[in-house]
Every structure is written in structure tokens, then in C-alpha cells.
Amino acid sequence: MPKLLSKLPFGLLYGLSTLMYFCVYYVVRYRRKVVFSHLQQAFPDRSPAEIKTLAKGFYRNFCDVSLEIFKVGSMTPADLDKRVSFANLEALQPILDRGQSMILLSAHYCNWEWLLLGTALKMPIPLDVVYKPLHNASMNRFMYDTRSRFNVDPIDLNEFTNEIIKRKGTQRAYCILADQKPRSKGKAHTSDFLHRETRFFIGPEKIAQFVKIPVVFVTMQRERRGYYRVTFKVIAEPPYEKQRNAYPITETYVRELETLIQHAPEGWLWSNRRWRSRKTERGLAE
């Protein structure tokens, strides 16, 4: 099925996405309570009608991106170059000229798979992307093969730290989607994010400090259906000062991500149970 979907022309793909939106939002009602709860908490000043509009916008984008991710399995470099443009690649040039590696921090916003491969096509150094293996073996293989295209090396989350140590002497870009919920155990950075106390991974900051490399926040905006624009912003550079129980790089990432989401909320993955709470999800999607 993934390979079949990847062969569909874009016109048919987006027609299927429109049908998928109707089924997901109105019939299956996929995680409606989760999405409405998250939006209401994040935007307490919005009216119920405005929240509903945001929710529908999210589901339309969610269906588009879901099918676009399958489509990338058959896309050529020319296809990606046409649909993923870059506002300021020159922002990375000083880092590249110094021979430094870098951490590219992004989020589950817009189409993160196109973001990865589109960036790989433009970069003169290899990209390493951290991933968590999927439970479905065939889907995991498809996603691994897809992410492996165009000079990208997917690395299992459990092996990522060891691999960074091994590759410390080579110039690389480490790509991380840092908006996932950390495990309940272990250290994390807690911040006020979208009007909620939220925990974030501190791993990227620790890696940057250990390897002594810059951190770049990568944003993606949808220009129109199937077309995106990427922007880079350097948010931290060595030398780094160690601060006890403080994570300034992570906090900067949180603030940048919050600004991005507030500007265009529909692009973020609101269906993810980032704040798992059954109590707040009851009765909010009627």
C-alpha cells in the first residue's frame, strides 16, 4: 500500500486527501477530543467557532501531510526541489566554512519528512536523523528506506548518543524533532508552553555542549497546498557555559516553537497526546 500511494499523481493524491479529511474528521472522528482540548488550552481567548476552524484546518493539513509522506517514496530530487524552497541557506554557510557539525532542531510541523529530504539535497555534508522504530515492520521498513534517500542516515533513538561519539570527528548535521514528550523518568526541561507546563528533551542541548557545535532552529511554512518554504535560524553557538539545572538552549527552542505555532496553528501535530490527560479531553469536541 505505501508504494502504491507513492505512485499516485499529485492531483489524485490531494483528491484522496480531501476524501480522507471528510472520513477522519466527520466519520471516524480521529482524536477529536484530544485535538479540541489541546487547541482550547493553547488559545483560551479564541471562541468555540474559531477553535473549530483551527481544528478543521489541522485535519486538512494532517491528511495532506500523511499522504505526502507516502508520496516522497517516489519523488525525484527535481520534485522536491520544486516543492520545498529555502529562504536563507546562507545562514548555514559560516558553520559549514568553519568545518563544524551542527544540530538542526525542528518539530512535527508542516511536512517534516519533506523537510528532512529537501534539506539533505541542499547540504554538502551528510545528515543524520534520529528516529524511533515503528511497531509495524513493513511500515517501518518503508519509512527507513524513504528517510535513507539523498545522503540521510537514520539512527535508532537508542543508538543515537553512541553514534554521535563515533562520528565526532566528521562534519555532519544531526536532525532532531524535539517537540515530543520525554519519558516520565529522567531529566527534562520544564517550561510554560502554550499556556501549559510542558516537559522537553534536554538531549539536543547536552549533545551540543558535548560536541561543541551550533544549534539551528529550522522552520517550515506551507505556501500553498503541496509547497513549502524553509527558514534557518542559529539559536546557539559554542563556547557554552554549563549552568546547573538550567537549559537555555532548550528554552530558546521552546520559545521559537511557540511563536511558530501561534503564527499558524494548523501546521502543528495537535493529535499527538503531548499532554496526556483524560479529564481535560472529555466533552470538548461536540
Side-chain angles (χ1 to χ4, degrees):
M1 182 62 74
K3 290 184 179 180
L4 178 62
L5 288 172
S6 74
K7 301 295 184 182
L8 289 178
F10 278 103
L12 286 178
L13 192 81
Y14 290 123
L16 180 60
S17 176
T18 299
L19 177 61
M20 179 179 170
Y21 159 73
F22 180 85
C23 294
V24 169
Y25 184 80
Y26 289 103
V27 181
V28 180
R29 299 170 66 89
Y30 173 71
R31 293 191 179 179
R32 279 270 297 265
K33 291 182 180 180
V34 175
V35 171
F36 273 75
S37 172
H38 288 175
L39 286 169
Q40 287 181 332
Q41 295 266 348
F43 302 100
D45 296 332
R46 302 286 184 101
S47 68
E50 289 173 317
I51 293 296
K52 188 173 184 178
T53 297
L54 289 179
K56 287 184 173 182
F58 157 71
Y59 278 102
R60 289 189 181 94
N61 292 338
F62 173 76
C63 292
D64 277 1
V65 170
S66 297
L67 295 181
E68 286 172 357
I69 288 174
F70 288 116
K71 179 62 180 175
V72 78
S74 66
M75 289 174 70
T76 65
D79 292 331
L80 273 170
D81 190 58
K82 177 182 177 182
R83 292 177 173 273
V84 181
S85 61
F86 292 82
N88 63 336
L89 273 169
E90 66 276 6
L92 304 180
Q93 199 57 49
I95 301 173
L96 295 169
D97 290 344
R98 292 193 297 265
Q100 289 179 299
S101 293
M102 67 187 82
I103 293 178
L104 301 179
L105 282 188
S106 195
H108 291 84
Y109 189 90
C110 283
N111 189 325
W112 52 92
E113 299 294 344
W114 284 20
L115 171 62
L116 172 67
L117 297 181
T119 303
L121 287 173
K122 298 294 184 181
M123 293 285 278
I125 60 175
L127 269 65
D128 298 335
V129 59
V130 62
Y131 81 100
K132 185 177 180 180
L134 302 174
H135 295 297
N136 184 290
S138 61
M139 189 62 188
N140 185 68
R141 171 49 57 183
F142 175 81
M143 292 307 303
Y144 184 91
D145 291 343
T146 297
R147 290 169 179 156
S148 299
R149 304 179 71 196
F150 313 135
N151 206 26
V152 175
D153 186 9
I155 302 174
D156 189 316
L157 174 63
N158 298 315
E159 301 295 328
F160 197 61
T161 302
N162 291 335
E163 289 299 321
I164 286 176
I165 294 173
K166 291 178 184 178
R167 304 173 194 203
K168 187 178 178 181
T170 61
Q171 189 179 22
R172 318 184 74 84
Y174 301 105
C175 307
I176 304 173
L177 301 179
D179 58 335
Q180 292 278 56
K181 181 180 180 181
R183 294 189 179 96
S184 56
K185 296 181 180 179
K187 287 187 177 181
H189 174 64
T190 301
S191 181
D192 180 58
F193 175 68
L194 297 174
H195 300 286
R196 302 178 82 162
E197 185 177 272
T198 309
R199 299 173 74 246
F200 286 87
F201 290 110
I202 59 173
E205 181 161 350
K206 292 292 188 181
I207 292 168
Q209 292 171 340
F210 175 73
V211 190
K212 299 180 176 62
I213 57 177
V215 179
V216 181
F217 183 64
V218 188
T219 64
M220 185 183 231
Q221 293 284 1
R222 179 179 282 102
E223 294 191 308
R224 64 185 191 276
R225 199 175 203 182
Y227 291 85
Y228 300 91
R229 190 163 181 81
V230 178
T231 303
F232 300 100
K233 182 178 181 179
V234 179
I235 61 173
E237 293 188 86
Y240 297 117
E241 294 183 7
K242 290 186 177 181
Q243 302 181 40
R244 185 178 178 84
N245 297 322
Y247 305 99
I249 300 174
T250 307
E251 179 62 21
T252 300
Y253 168 79
V254 172
R255 301 278 68 86
E256 293 287 345
L257 177 60
E258 184 176 60
T259 299
L260 174 67
I261 293 170
Q262 289 172 336
H263 174 71
E266 299 91 341
W268 199 45
L269 192 60
W270 293 100
S271 58
N272 182 24
R273 289 191 172 96
R274 186 62 172 81
W275 305 275
R276 187 180 293 273
S277 173
R278 293 181 181 276
K279 182 179 179 180
T280 59
E281 290 171 9
R282 291 174 185 157
L284 295 172
E286 302 303 325

